[in-house]
Amino acid sequence: MRTHSFLTVLLWSSVFYVVHMTPSQERTNKHSHSERITGLSENDGKTLHRTKRGWMWNQFFLLEEYTGPDTQYVGKLHTDQDKGDGNLKYILTGDGAGSLFIIDENTGDIHAAKKLDREEKSLYVLRAKAIDRKTGRQVEPESEFIIKIHDINDNEPKFTKDMYTASIPEMSGVGTSVIQVTATDADDANYGNSAKVVYSILQGQPYFSVDPETGIIKTALPDMSRENREQYQVVIQAKDMGGQMGGLSGTTTVNITLTDVNDNPPRFPQSSYQFSSPESAPPGTPLGRIKANDPDVGENAEIEYSISNGDGSDMFDIITDKDTQEGIITVKKHLDFENKVLYTLKVEASNTHPDPRFLQLGPFKDTAFVKISVEDIDEPPVFSRPWYLIEVDEDAKEGSIIGQVVAQDPDIAKNAIKYSVDRHTDLDRIFNIYSGNGSLFLSKPLDREETPWHNITVIATEINNPKQSSQIPVFIRILDINDHAPEFANYYETFVCENAKAGQLIQTVSAIDKDQPPRGHKFFFELVPEFAVNPNFSVVDNKDNTAGIMTRRNGYSRSKTSTYLLPIIIFDNDYPIQSSTGTLTIRVCACDSRGNMQSCSAEALLLPAGLSTGALVAILLCIIILLILVVLFTALKRQRKKEPLIISKDDVRDNIVTYNDEGGGEEDTQAFDIGTLRNPEAREESKMRRDVIPETIFQIRRTAPLWENIDVQDFIHRRLKENDSDPAAPPYDSLATYAYEGNDSIANSLSSLESLTTEGNQDYDYLSDWGPRFKKLADMYGGEDSDRD
């Protein structure tokens, strides 16, 4: 079964009203055109008719910022289907529907509920519907329309900056652009003149002007000088409505600074200056400052000072202080009051960075005169030379004058001067000086070979003012004289081979001389006259300060003569001629076939002819080893003799007992029975010492019984005397101990050392009554078999 649809032709007509700030309302209608569509349906073949209506909505305009008592009426929605019975409902959707724009759903009237601002939103897009209340169906298709906000002049022009800062060189021409300011208006530039801005200057005339359309600020006066005024404040106004009355306006401030140009030359505030300087001022001493004023700033105010003329241009100088731009006058050379007392300088000050645009104004420099007076001071003496060089022969006599120094007072007074030698430079006091005329003389003899140069200092002092003094170095050179004889340069160890041939060179000798002749050394060698003809050797002078020792015969014998002494005379050629005799020792040695020395000692002749050098070395080593063995044997034997007797177990020393074990009891003490010391009555007769074997049997002297004296101190002294007189005492230090308790003590001895002298055994049964702490001791001594154990 097929379902058929039928299209219903709906006719929607609406009328909108637009309000234009007038009481009347206009209604605009647009007629539609209909289009008939004819066709055959599949069911009944009936002809269908559809009407298509095209709507063109006019833009609705509302005034922004409406302040009337009622809401602003926008327009009305209406359809031909509306019979006025209230069956239709009008609905408005889109931008601001329900909040900004409210529609009466029964009548279709649209009102603006709030005040609108075009600058926030300039147009609104809305959509309208007509709905049947009963069926809820749209009687007309949804239609869209636009509401535009009509602009009013409610925004004043605003500048992009609240304050502008600009600069322009001074002396700029009229019309020179300074800066451009810009103002914007939020109103609609396409509707009326609300956004048309015009610029004007409120403050800053007549120095500056502004272009009304572009906002460019320009200079209005020529030759504006920074030195007269540097800062300007200009107020610019921007007004809309093309600048007409009633337009809104805004202002901004422009701070304009004139920058400096070098349009002013330096100028001295006065034409002449006066300074003074003491004549003792060293070079480089500042005397004063002068300054040329330049109203410019920065590098345009930089000044360079120079001395262009004057009689003191070679004595003084001027430099520029870069921080203060002042000229500093300084001393260039030493001043002399006695020579000139007043100088005049012509000083020039000029800009270092002139501007060519202003050179026509005149030279950018200025001049002034500076007068400098020299002050006299008391100056120290001045020597005629900066230093002195004196030459003196080393054989000069004491007291002879070797030179003179001269100084004088440079002042007008010409004070007298005395001379002296600084003894710190002449510690040996070799030189002295006459205080009145400065003549130097010798106080001690000279020796060039010891000190060829002497550097001393001479002081010149004013007699009237000792504080004024000066000193000068004096270099004294000692000239050489020929006072030393030449001698051999080295100690020569010369030998001649036994198989030497006649005319053979065995040694070359040379000489040295402490003197230094100006033409150099020249030495001559020859034999002493007593041995001018030597049968064994001859001396040949090589004419080059050396001589050769030659043999005069064939063969030399060590057995006959092992050493020859050859005296040689050495002469120099200076005046006076000096000479000395040196003796050359020549040994006779055995040599091989090549002339190399093998042995020079005469003892070597006693050895067998066939004994080689290796055999001699072996024999020598054997002798050394035997000597070492003898020394070691002797040392060991001496060490054995020095061993102490106390090492022996049988050694007995009065009261020194050696125990090598812990057990054994009292019966092992055979060296000395200390019980006899405790009981003098039990002491045996004196016995011979067992550690010393006496060579002679001495008669033992019996001493008085010690127990008869109860004084302990007397007992100790007697025993000490007895041991000192004992001939059998050992010959080394020993330790003797004496102890004495006495013989009348009411308390019997508790020591077990006397157990050997008692016949009965002691009873220790009472130890069992002393408790458990003494049980072990009671078992050891208190039992019946304790002694046996």
Side-chain angles (χ1 to χ4, degrees):
M1 181 176 181
R2 179 175 299 180
T3 303
H4 300 275
S5 300
F6 298 94
L7 299 177
T8 304
V9 177
L10 300 179
L11 178 65
W12 186 17
S13 62
S14 301
V15 179
F16 292 91
Y17 299 91
V18 180
V19 180
H20 292 283
M21 298 293 291
T22 60
S24 62
Q25 297 179 353
E26 294 183 0
R27 180 175 178 178
T28 304
N29 295 327
K30 274 293 183 179
H31 299 282
S32 63
H33 62 275
S34 59
E35 180 181 66
R36 183 175 181 178
I37 301 175
T38 304
L40 183 63
S41 67
E42 296 180 1
N43 297 331
D44 51 10
K46 294 182 180 180
T47 302
L48 299 179
H49 297 275
R50 184 181 68 184
T51 301
K52 181 180 181 181
R53 304 180 66 184
W55 300 95
M56 180 177 293
W57 295 83
N58 286 337
Q59 295 181 351
F60 296 106
F61 292 91
L62 291 180
L63 291 176
E64 67 169 335
E65 306 292 343
Y66 176 75
T67 58
D70 299 328
T71 58
Q72 190 174 186
Y73 182 75
V74 178
K76 185 179 181 64
L77 292 179
H78 187 72
T79 178
D80 293 341
Q81 300 294 331
D82 189 357
K83 303 301 184 181
D85 52 5
N87 291 330
L88 297 181
K89 179 174 65 172
Y90 295 95
I91 298 174
L92 186 66
T93 61
D95 295 340
S99 59
L100 295 179
F101 302 101
I102 302 174
I103 188 171
D104 189 337
E105 64 180 12
N106 294 322
T107 64
D109 293 330
I110 302 173
H111 292 81
K114 296 181 181 180
K115 182 171 63 174
L116 302 178
D117 188 357
R118 187 200 67 83
E119 286 72 33
E120 293 181 2
K121 192 173 180 64
S122 61
L123 60 88
Y124 297 88
V125 178
L126 300 171
R127 291 177 297 277
K129 297 178 184 180
I131 300 175
D132 191 330
R133 293 179 182 271
K134 295 180 179 181
T135 64
R137 298 176 60 185
Q138 293 186 12
V139 298
E140 292 288 350
E142 185 179 80
S143 181
E144 182 179 277
F145 63 94
I146 299 174
I147 299 177
K148 295 190 67 175
I149 308 303
H150 182 66
D151 182 50
I152 64 172
N153 190 18
D154 60 341
N155 291 279
E156 72 276 5
K158 292 184 178 180
F159 286 92
T160 56
K161 295 181 180 180
D162 294 335
M163 181 176 292
Y164 292 84
T165 301
S167 62
I168 185 174
E170 63 174 332
M171 307 300 290
S172 297
V174 177
T176 303
S177 296
V178 180
I179 193 175
Q180 183 179 14
V181 296
T182 303
T184 57
D185 196 320
D187 294 327
D188 190 358
N190 297 321
Y191 181 78
N193 293 328
S194 297
K196 186 177 181 180
V197 179
V198 175
Y199 300 95
S200 62
I201 184 169
L202 300 182
Q203 178 183 328
Q205 294 176 333
Y207 306 104
F208 300 94
S209 63
V210 65
D211 190 300
E213 295 183 358
T214 62
I216 297 176
I217 301 174
K218 301 179 181 180
T219 57
L221 285 181
D223 301 333
M224 287 191 295
S225 176
R226 183 199 64 82
E227 290 74 28
N228 295 332
R229 183 177 178 181
E230 184 176 4
Q231 299 288 339
Y232 293 88
Q233 191 175 70
V234 179
V235 178
I236 302 297
Q237 181 190 61
K239 189 174 183 181
D240 59 10
M241 298 297 293
Q244 299 178 6
M245 184 177 297
L248 302 179
S249 63
T251 60
T252 187
T253 302
V254 183
N255 293 323
I256 301 175
T257 303
L258 296 183
T259 59
D260 184 63
V261 297
N262 193 6
D263 59 338
N264 294 282
R267 291 288 181 263
F268 283 106
Q270 58 193 67
S271 59
S272 63
Y273 296 85
Q274 182 74 35
F275 298 101
S276 62
S277 172
E279 62 175 335
S280 61
T285 302
L287 302 182
R289 294 172 176 255
I290 61 175
K291 189 177 190 310
N293 298 326
D294 191 335
D296 297 325
V297 294
E299 67 175 13
N300 297 323
E302 292 182 0
I303 302 174
E304 184 178 2
Y305 297 90
S306 62
I307 299 176
S308 60
N309 202 352
D311 56 359
S313 58
D314 58 339
M315 301 297 295
F316 301 93
D317 198 3
I318 186 170
I319 58 177
T320 303
D321 189 336
K322 298 300 182 182
D323 297 330
T324 62
Q325 298 300 318
E326 293 177 319
I328 305 174
I329 299 175
T330 61
V331 177
K332 188 176 181 180
K333 294 182 180 180
H334 287 286
L335 304 176
D336 189 0
F337 174 82
E338 290 73 25
N339 186 24
K340 191 174 180 64
V341 298
L342 182 64
Y343 294 91
T344 302
L345 307 176
K346 184 179 181 181
V347 179
E348 183 179 278
S350 59
N351 282 136
T352 57
H353 301 87
D355 194 332
R357 296 177 298 172
F358 305 103
L359 293 179
Q360 71 275 5
L361 300 179
F364 278 75
K365 60 182 178 181
D366 194 15
T367 58
F369 290 95
V370 178
K371 294 182 179 181
I372 302 174
S373 58
V374 181
E375 299 176 352
D376 184 28
I377 63 171
D378 189 5
E379 298 177 88
V382 178
F383 285 92
S384 60
R385 300 179 189 177
W387 49 271
Y388 289 87
L389 174 61
I390 299 175
E391 295 182 344
V392 57
D393 293 331
E394 66 174 324
D395 61 346
K397 303 300 181 181
E398 296 182 16
S400 58
I401 296 176
I402 61 174
Q404 184 181 17
V405 296
V406 177
Q408 61 180 358
D409 184 9
D411 299 322
I412 298 178
K414 301 297 180 183
N415 294 323
I417 297 172
K418 65 177 181 179
Y419 302 90
S420 61
V421 175
D422 186 358
R423 291 305 172 188
H424 293 91
T425 61
D426 184 24
L427 298 177
D428 296 333
R429 295 182 174 270
I430 300 175
F431 305 95
N432 211 333
I433 191 171
Y434 291 106
S435 61
N437 58 10
S439 296
L440 287 166
F441 63 91
L442 292 177
S443 297
K444 293 182 180 180
L446 303 174
D447 187 355
R448 188 204 65 83
E449 287 71 31
E450 181 180 352
T451 307
W453 283 90
H454 294 272
N455 302 328
I456 65 173
T457 300
V458 175
I459 303 174
T461 307
E462 292 184 10
I463 296 178
N464 296 334
N465 187 5
K467 294 182 179 180
Q468 296 296 332
S469 63
S470 59
Q471 56 187 17
I472 198 74
V474 178
F475 307 102
I476 302 174
R477 179 183 180 184
I478 311 303
L479 301 178
D480 183 43
I481 62 170
N482 194 21
D483 57 345
H484 290 85
E487 55 188 14
F488 281 126
N490 299 301
Y491 174 76
Y492 297 101
E493 294 183 355
T494 307
F495 70 93
V496 62
C497 295
E498 289 184 306
N499 56 356
K501 304 298 183 182
Q504 184 177 341
L505 176 66
I506 62 173
Q507 182 70 60
T508 299
V509 296
S510 61
I512 57 173
D513 194 340
K514 295 181 180 179
D515 297 323
Q516 290 184 349
R519 294 184 299 274
H521 290 290
K522 182 64 177 177
F523 301 122
F524 303 95
F525 302 86
E526 63 181 33
L527 293 174
V528 295
E530 294 80 1
F531 302 96
V533 179
N534 191 303
N536 299 311
F537 304 98
S538 62
V539 176
V540 178
D541 196 333
N542 296 325
K543 307 301 182 182
D544 59 355
N545 293 338
T546 63
I549 310 301
M550 312 293 292
T551 59
R552 297 193 65 181
R553 62 187 179 87
N554 296 328
Y556 296 86
S557 176
R558 279 184 294 168
S559 60
K560 295 181 179 181
T561 304
S562 62
T563 302
Y564 293 92
L565 299 179
L566 185 65
I568 300 175
I569 299 179
I570 308 174
F571 299 90
D572 58 17
N573 67 335
D574 205 357
Y575 180 83
I577 295 177
Q578 299 287 344
S579 65
S580 66
T581 301
T583 301
L584 191 65
T585 302
I586 303 174
R587 294 184 299 164
V588 180
C589 300
C591 302
D592 56 14
S593 59
R594 297 182 180 181
N596 297 323
M597 180 184 65
Q598 290 184 341
S599 176
C600 296
S601 61
E603 292 78 1
L605 297 174
L606 301 177
L607 296 176
L611 198 57
S612 63
T613 304
L616 293 176
V617 173
I619 294 173
L620 182 60
L621 290 177
C622 291
I623 295 174
I624 293 175
I625 292 173
L626 290 175
L627 291 176
I628 293 174
L629 292 175
V630 172
V631 171
L632 291 176
F633 180 77
T634 305
L636 291 175
K637 190 173 181 180
R638 290 183 178 180
Q639 185 175 5
R640 290 178 180 177
K641 291 182 179 181
K642 291 183 178 181
E643 291 181 356
L645 297 176
I646 197 170
I647 297 177
S648 174
K649 296 181 179 180
D650 297 332
D651 185 18
V652 179
R653 308 276 178 87
D654 291 343
N655 63 336
I656 299 179
V657 182
T658 301
Y659 299 98
N660 291 333
D661 57 89
E662 297 181 359
E666 301 169 354
E667 297 178 355
D668 289 342
T669 307
Q670 298 178 1
F672 182 76
D673 186 1
I674 199 170
T676 57
L677 182 60
R678 306 299 182 186
N679 298 293
E681 296 83 352
R683 185 172 63 89
E684 299 179 357
E685 297 294 334
S686 297
K687 297 181 180 180
M688 299 296 293
R689 294 183 62 89
R690 290 181 290 172
D691 59 340
V692 178
I693 301 176
E695 298 179 358
T696 306
I697 298 176
F698 294 92
Q699 181 68 28
I700 303 302
R701 180 175 55 87
R702 297 180 62 88
T703 58
L706 296 179
W707 56 86
E708 298 176 358
N709 193 345
I710 61 173
D711 186 2
V712 177
Q713 182 177 5
D714 185 52
F715 165 76
I716 298 296
H717 287 169
R718 289 187 182 185
R719 290 302 304 266
L720 179 60
K721 184 176 180 182
E722 178 183 351
N723 280 275
D724 289 341
S725 60
D726 187 3
Y732 45 81
D733 293 338
S734 61
L735 178 64
T737 303
Y738 311 111
Y740 177 65
E741 289 186 2
N743 53 357
D744 291 332
S745 175
I746 59 176
N748 294 327
S749 176
L750 299 179
S751 175
S752 63
L753 295 178
E754 298 181 6
S755 60
L756 295 179
T757 61
T758 59
E759 296 179 356
N761 294 327
Q762 189 170 349
D763 185 10
Y764 295 100
D765 293 338
Y766 60 89
L767 294 176
S768 300
D769 300 333
W770 286 7
R773 292 187 179 183
F774 297 92
K775 184 178 182 303
K776 185 65 175 177
L777 190 61
D779 293 339
M780 294 175 61
Y781 291 93
E784 296 178 355
D785 300 332
S786 61
D787 292 339
R788 184 167 53 252
D789 294 339

